[in-house]
Amino acid sequence: MTDGVTSDLAGLAEQIATAAATLDGEFVLRSGQVSHRYFDKYRFEGMPALLKPLARAMSDLLPANTEIIAGLELGGIPLVTAISLETGLPAAFVRKEAKTYGTCRAIEGQDVAGRGVTFIEDVITTGGAVAGAYQLAAAEGANVLAVVCAIWRGDGTPRIHSVPALSVLPVFSRADLERAG
């Protein structure tokens, strides 16, 4: 432990898995798939003792040429905020669609045009939200470098099928958390 925070990934996986973040039952995922195991990100994103070391671990995965980190609505927002505090990088916030009032923008907080942007996401299964965010960021002229996620719960090698060139860099896989729990 360092300043009250677990620094090793195996210990962090165990803490996340046992912090009531791994739920068993029948859950419909954003992708429409049904799963008998669900990772409730809000149960660990809302706990500073877990969020802080997770932000550190995610920070270690950022591509070197990242200029802006962009959190996807809603689960990526606490993560991107914590990572911004950890790294000093400016944070942007990606909505699911442009709002119809005020600035009418899909990406808030930073101008991403011509900048190296890394997405921050919580849990990815198929990457539907990432694909949508990628289209929004591309429309604003961003150079999207990668997506860093807390948990890859999909099958096989982490990737977004509709954006195959986009690197997916997870801290944990579904298997990591299942082993830890």
Side-chain angles (χ1 to χ4, degrees):
M1 293 280 243
T2 305
D3 66 359
V5 178
T6 299
S7 59
D8 74 285
L9 288 179
L12 180 59
E14 183 177 344
Q15 287 183 348
I16 288 172
T18 59
T22 304
L23 306 175
D24 291 314
E26 188 168 302
F27 304 93
V28 178
L29 306 177
R30 181 189 185 282
S31 64
Q33 296 177 359
V34 175
S35 176
H36 296 287
R37 175 144 301 145
Y38 184 75
F39 300 113
D40 189 345
K41 65 245 177 200
Y42 301 115
R43 293 189 181 196
F44 62 83
E45 288 184 9
M47 298 177 67
L50 298 178
L51 182 59
K52 188 172 183 175
L54 183 57
R56 285 181 187 157
M58 293 177 80
S59 297
D60 291 343
L61 298 175
L62 294 172
N65 52 344
T66 299
E67 297 175 86
I68 295 172
I69 50 176
L72 278 59
E73 180 183 354
L74 177 66
I77 301 303
L79 292 168
V80 78
T81 302
I83 295 167
S84 179
L85 289 168
E86 180 71 27
T87 63
L89 288 168
F93 309 97
V94 184
R95 296 175 178 277
K96 292 177 181 146
E97 59 187 40
K99 63 183 184 176
T100 58
Y101 57 91
T103 63
C104 298
R105 296 190 57 175
I107 301 176
E108 302 280 357
Q110 306 297 322
D111 180 4
V112 297
R115 308 287 298 278
V117 175
T118 297
F119 287 153
I120 304 298
E121 183 62 305
D122 50 15
V123 180
I124 299 175
T125 303
T126 63
V130 174
Y134 184 88
Q135 298 303 320
L136 293 170
E140 291 199 22
N143 175 22
V144 182
L145 306 171
V147 57
V148 173
C149 65
I151 302 168
W152 167 255
R153 70 165 289 125
D155 295 321
T157 302
R159 62 179 273 213
I160 310 301
H161 292 283
S162 59
V163 192
L166 186 65
S167 296
V168 178
L169 308 169
V171 174
F172 299 113
S173 68
R174 173 180 61 211
D176 293 332
L177 295 180
E178 288 172 345
R179 275 191 302 274

